[in-house]
Amino acid sequence: MDLLQKIYEAGVVGAGGAGFPTHIKLNCQVEYFIINAAECEPLLNTDKYLMATKSEEMIKAIEEVSKHIGAKHLIIAIKKKYNKEIGILKDAIERLNSKVQLFYLDNYYPAGDEQMMVYEVTGRSIPEAGIPLDVGAVVSNVGTLVNIHDAMKDKPVTEKYITVVGEVKNPIMIKVPVGISIKECIEAAGGSTIKDYAIIIGGPMMGTIIDDDESDENYIKKTDGSLIVLPKDHYIVERKRKPLKTIINETRSACIQCRYCTDLCHRYLIGHKLRPHKIMRNIGMSEHDAEIMKEALICCECGICELYSCPMGLSPRLVNTYIKGELRKGGIRPEKGSKDIESREMIEYRKIPTTRLMARLDILKYYDQKLDDVKELLPKKVSIPLSQHIGKPAKAIVSVGDNVAKDQLIGQIERNDMGANIHATIDGKVIEVSDKIVILKEDNGVIS
Ligand code: SF4
Ligand code: SF4
């Protein structure tokens, strides 16, 4: 069976972001295969753990994928400060006599942004609204590579490694089935040290926030890698939750047109025509310049302007998200820009050092949290969303009352459709089929 068929059958999607189906992404021929090992959001540790414990699997998967996509350059882009992981990867490369090379990145945010990483490795700027393929590259992250290796052995994606940090009693790395509740993950870390807390699913810059009382109805997906527990009145939580109406009103009266949001925007710095200060001036006017508003379509929502740049506490990111939604409702999509773009000359001097970012975000105190050894959780119930990826939801192929075994296909997508297959992550009985499939474990034939 060919590699893409195995990846399709295993339901592999990008493990570190929006969940682009991997069998579709890798259906290409490119010059560069780049592995995103930057783990650039502060406080995340999952990719570093995978690099330290599954280095050979990663290298074997890179070699296999590279044969398929014809890549000449096989590159792991990793922060130069990850000394331990660099040593382990170098040993694995040597043992396997592999062509894989390491490319060293500075410790800045967003070193792991796909467009920034391609620029760093190849010196090529991806066009506006383009993808790495436009400049001869494809990028996968560490977790995806490990899942590709499993797929090569006919093992579907059913498990995740999750870092649980912040205001928890015992910061920990856990191995969990996809579909476990967030609540159980927090409990595995000894619970929270505070009463009223919020949970960031993902990194502090781009993650989504839920409240403590929502943790029982939110589940780990194929794209998740970390949970950060913070007080509800923490700077990050309050900034991310500011209502759009308040932001727009504040923008009208408080935006001083200092341009910091534009000057520190990495998409602007790689040469894109994205000028958040102009968008912010426009949103405050009664008549909008349509061409300037369209620039919002190429914002990747990295959060630098919102959580780092703006001295007035405004949120160009949120304004851009709002404008994107409105333009899409009107059928307006981003247009691909010219390939002849060049980065702006200040790009090297405007990278945001991660330690300075953490100080601004008020999370330095969680930086050195020592993680307990990996603990494997075996829940009695999992709720597996049919949509954990970009594209169509998978179509359920099981019904309430069916007994299923771990790794069994339970949600399917056609081979050429944008989407990914879904598999049972524990043995048990199906007790719900809706936008998710809920499986309850049976003990000795009795549902527990
Ligand atoms: S950084 Fe803030 S105040 Fe300055 S131009 Fe941008 S939105 Fe306005
Ligand atoms: S969120 Fe802000 S800094 Fe990031 S790409 Fe969008 S405009 Fe630029």
Side-chain angles (χ1 to χ4, degrees), residues 128-232:
E128 290 150 4
I131 56 173
L133 197 55
D134 293 318
V135 294
V138 71
V139 183
S140 285
N141 93 334
V142 168
T144 313
L145 256 293
V146 172
N147 289 337
I148 290 174
H149 183 267
D150 284 346
M152 284 156 51
K153 310 258 174 216
D154 302 317
K155 184 179 178 315
V157 183
T158 58
E159 289 161 351
K160 289 295 296 185
Y161 288 86
I162 305 285
T163 312
V164 189
V165 291
E167 294 292 347
V168 288
K169 291 187 185 131
N170 309 308
I172 194 171
M173 173 78 70
I174 47 178
K175 181 183 176 192
V176 298
V178 169
I180 189 174
S181 74
I182 306 275
K183 185 176 182 200
E184 285 169 278
C185 298
I186 305 293
E187 283 169 359
S192 178
T193 52
I194 51 176
K195 219 164 166 246
D196 276 339
Y197 60 90
I199 303 157
I200 302 183
I201 305 171
M205 297 296 284
M206 296 186 77
T208 52
I209 299 186
I210 60 167
D211 277 330
D212 46 1
D213 58 6
E214 296 169 310
S215 64
D216 209 12
E217 297 139 30
N218 281 273
Y219 314 101
I220 292 294
K221 300 186 291 303
K222 291 179 185 182
T223 47
D224 294 330
S226 73
L227 301 170
I228 304 170
V229 175
L230 293 175
K232 275 186 183 162

Side-chain angles (χ1 to χ4, degrees), residues 261 264-268 274 276 298-306 316-317 320:
C261 50
L264 292 173
C265 169
H266 65 288
R267 293 292 167 104
Y268 169 77
L274 170 57
I298 54 172
C299 164
C300 71
E301 302 178 29
C302 71
I304 290 175
C305 51
E306 172 185 69
R317 179 199 66 85
N320 287 348

Side-chain angles (χ1 to χ4, degrees), residues 57 97 137 255 270 332 349 355 377 392 437:
E57 289 93 324
N97 194 21
C255 176
I270 62 172
I332 299 174
Y349 309 101
T355 37
L377 305 190
K392 284 186 181 174
I437 295 176

Side-chain angles (χ1 to χ4, degrees), residues 74-368:
L74 290 54
I75 304 214
I76 299 177
I78 184 168
K79 284 189 180 170
K80 59 173 83 128
K81 68 175 279 229
Y82 297 161
N83 292 322
K84 180 179 134 197
E85 292 76 18
I86 287 171
I88 292 170
L89 287 169
K90 276 183 170 171
D91 286 349
I93 290 167
E94 202 178 310
R95 267 197 313 279
L96 296 170
N97 194 21
S98 165
K99 300 197 290 289
V100 173
Q101 295 175 301
L102 302 185
F103 180 94
Y104 301 112
L105 301 159
D106 290 330
N107 187 25
Y108 74 93
Y109 180 82
D113 173 70
E114 196 169 75
Q115 303 223 357
M116 199 67 195
M117 181 164 280
V118 170
Y119 170 77
E120 291 263 27
V121 173
T122 68
R124 303 169 188 168
S125 288
I126 297 171
E128 290 150 4
I131 56 173
L133 197 55
D134 293 318
V135 294
V138 71
V139 183
S140 285
N141 93 334
V142 168
T144 313
L145 256 293
V146 172
N147 289 337
I148 290 174
H149 183 267
D150 284 346
M152 284 156 51
K153 310 258 174 216
D154 302 317
K155 184 179 178 315
V157 183
T158 58
E159 289 161 351
K160 289 295 296 185
Y161 288 86
I162 305 285
T163 312
V164 189
V165 291
E167 294 292 347
V168 288
K169 291 187 185 131
N170 309 308
I172 194 171
M173 173 78 70
I174 47 178
K175 181 183 176 192
V176 298
V178 169
I180 189 174
S181 74
I182 306 275
K183 185 176 182 200
E184 285 169 278
C185 298
I186 305 293
E187 283 169 359
S192 178
T193 52
I194 51 176
K195 219 164 166 246
D196 276 339
Y197 60 90
I199 303 157
I200 302 183
I201 305 171
M205 297 296 284
M206 296 186 77
T208 52
I209 299 186
I210 60 167
D211 277 330
D212 46 1
D213 58 6
E214 296 169 310
S215 64
D216 209 12
E217 297 139 30
N218 281 273
Y219 314 101
I220 292 294
K221 300 186 291 303
K222 291 179 185 182
T223 47
D224 294 330
S226 73
L227 301 170
I228 304 170
V229 175
L230 293 175
K232 275 186 183 162
D233 59 358
H234 190 275
Y235 169 74
I236 298 174
V237 180
E238 291 198 333
R239 286 298 309 273
K240 280 178 175 262
R241 285 189 157 164
K242 220 178 213 188
L244 178 72
K245 202 157 176 255
T246 310
I247 294 271
I248 292 178
N249 285 339
E250 284 178 356
T251 299
R252 288 194 177 108
S253 58
C255 176
I256 54 174
Q257 284 295 291
C258 63
R259 262 191 74 114
Y260 288 157
C261 50
T262 294
D263 289 339
L264 292 173
C265 169
H266 65 288
R267 293 292 167 104
Y268 169 77
L269 290 167
I270 62 172
H272 291 183
K273 196 173 172 194
L274 170 57
R275 297 162 299 176
H277 76 287
K278 290 207 170 203
I279 299 171
M280 293 299 267
R281 187 164 58 199
N282 240 266
I283 196 86
M285 292 178 174
S286 49
E287 284 195 20
H288 301 147
D289 179 324
E291 286 309 306
I292 287 177
M293 296 309 237
K294 273 200 223 162
E295 293 183 18
L297 290 167
I298 54 172
C299 164
C300 71
E301 302 178 29
C302 71
I304 290 175
C305 51
E306 172 185 69
L307 292 167
Y308 188 85
S309 316
C310 183
M312 304 305 289
L314 303 175
S315 178
R317 179 199 66 85
L318 191 63
V319 169
N320 287 348
T321 308
Y322 164 72
I323 295 170
K324 278 199 256 187
E326 292 301 302
L327 291 177
R328 281 187 186 134
K329 274 190 226 159
I332 299 174
R333 295 271 182 274
E335 286 163 24
K336 196 176 271 190
S338 160
K339 282 193 178 176
D340 293 328
I341 54 164
E342 284 189 10
S343 61
R344 300 183 205 265
E345 62 184 58
M346 294 307 287
I347 189 165
E348 287 307 317
Y349 309 101
R350 293 205 178 134
K351 295 170 178 171
I352 316 290
T354 305
T355 37
R356 203 180 304 159
L357 176 65
M358 284 196 289
R360 184 74 61 89
L361 297 177
D362 193 20
I363 52 174
L364 270 177
K365 68 172 175 171
Y366 307 121
Y367 178 53
D368 281 330

Side-chain angles (χ1 to χ4, degrees), residues 3-4 7 26 28-35 58-76 98-101 138 140 145 148 152:
L3 180 66
L4 290 193
I7 291 173
L26 296 181
C28 61
Q29 291 291 296
V30 289
E31 191 182 342
Y32 285 89
F33 184 33
I34 302 171
I35 310 313
M58 272 180 68
I59 305 296
K60 285 178 187 167
I62 296 170
E63 290 278 356
E64 199 58 31
V65 170
S66 296
K67 272 188 239 156
H68 177 82
I69 61 179
K72 285 200 222 66
H73 306 286
L74 290 54
I75 304 214
I76 299 177
S98 165
K99 300 197 290 289
V100 173
Q101 295 175 301
V138 71
S140 285
L145 256 293
I148 290 174
M152 284 156 51

